[in-house]
Amino acid sequence: MSNIKQHLTRWDAIVDNVFIPAITDDHLCTTDGRFLLSLPVKKGGLAIPIFSTMADFEFANSSAATEQLVEHIYNQDSTAPVDTKQLMTTRRRIAIAKEEQSSSLLQQLRENMSPEQLRANDLARMKGGPSCLTTLPLKSGNFSLNKREFYDALSLRYRWTPKYLPSMCPCGKRFDVDHTMSCMKGGFVHRRHDDVRDLFATLLKDVCHDVEVEPHLETLIGEVLSSSANSSDEARLDVSARGFWQKGQKAFFDVRVFNPFAKSHLNQKLDTTFKSNENEKKRMYNQRVIEIEHGSFSPLVFTPYGGTGREAERFMTELAQKLAERKNMTYNTIIHWLRSKLSFNLLKSAVMCLRGSRRSKSELNMDLNGAEISKVVGQIK
């Protein structure tokens, strides 16, 4: 309908003051923050429109899309054919106009963002980044989040401060989101890495032979490697699979999940940060795998907030193609499922790092050496 912009302001007020706080744990958006949430998910938003600002634009689009139908109704002509070519051209023009409008708005918003907000937006727009927001919350696929996990997911996506966090970590340092993503206390960082490793190992077993988790590399006997290479006799990688890249050849993979908001990374471009982490892994293992193992090496680099490195993206593309052939399914279905599965794994691991208990277990001051356990069990029976 035309000229209804002024009638939608009350509805926008309800969305801003009731709906959005309800799904964000009472977060109140700034003007720019509200416009960001109105953008499509692939642009870093939540696709929650501001109806009063889009009313005139959508009316114009609706009028253009229904122009032929309106003409036929006016003429009372039920047999007139619809020019499908013109209709498709109109729809394409509308889609392009919407894309240009959202891109222009995003560019304006990014000019006022802090470096952390820019990095968060970059991550949200990467492939697979918004999967947790565009996937049906099916418990059967472990794609569901409880209320607190959803609140925290949005806080991590937009760099909002989550509620109910302690002021100090049991390790003695100040407790904040960035600290939780790297604090070793509690073992959550290791668990986050292992979840990704186990996911890929399980999937590789469906398409490859001789899949091994944490395979030891051959010991060095006189071979000389570069100074940056790992020459330890105990060196091992995360996963190996025979025949992944080349028939009969053993492919080695090593997973890294790094914090893109760390001070050492924040001033770098996101692509550069992924590349530097991949190169660090290659300096450690690439030469040894190629010359000693006669295999191939691929570093799989991710962040807890979504986003994948170039090598990991190539690996996931090849894995999805092999799974699609094996299971007789389309590639698009498999790659969407794979990105969604990885996104949820990383997200739940990040929430676990944020909310998991890091307090030391209290030791039981009880001596059980002399307890007559068998007699106690007998009394219980």
Side-chain angles (χ1 to χ4, degrees), residues 4 19 23 25 76 87 92 102 104 116 125 164 179 190 223 227 248 250 253 257 262 271 308 346 354 362 365 378:
I4 62 171
F19 176 69
I23 66 171
D25 201 13
Q76 291 295 291
L87 183 60
R92 188 159 48 247
S102 61
S104 176
E116 289 189 359
R125 292 186 295 118
Y164 313 118
H179 173 72
H190 294 296
E223 294 90 349
S227 59
K250 209 167 188 179
F253 307 96
V257 184
D271 290 341
T308 58
L346 290 169
L354 184 66
S362 58
N365 296 321

Side-chain angles (χ1 to χ4, degrees), residues 68-84:
Q68 293 186 64
L69 179 61
V70 170
E71 183 180 353
H72 294 164
I73 293 174
Y74 278 152
N75 297 329
Q76 291 295 291
D77 189 351
S78 60
T79 61
V82 175
D83 189 341
T84 56

Side-chain angles (χ1 to χ4, degrees), residues 223-235:
E223 294 90 349
V224 179
L225 301 178
S226 64
S227 59
S228 60
N230 186 341
S231 57
S232 171
D233 290 342
E234 300 299 322

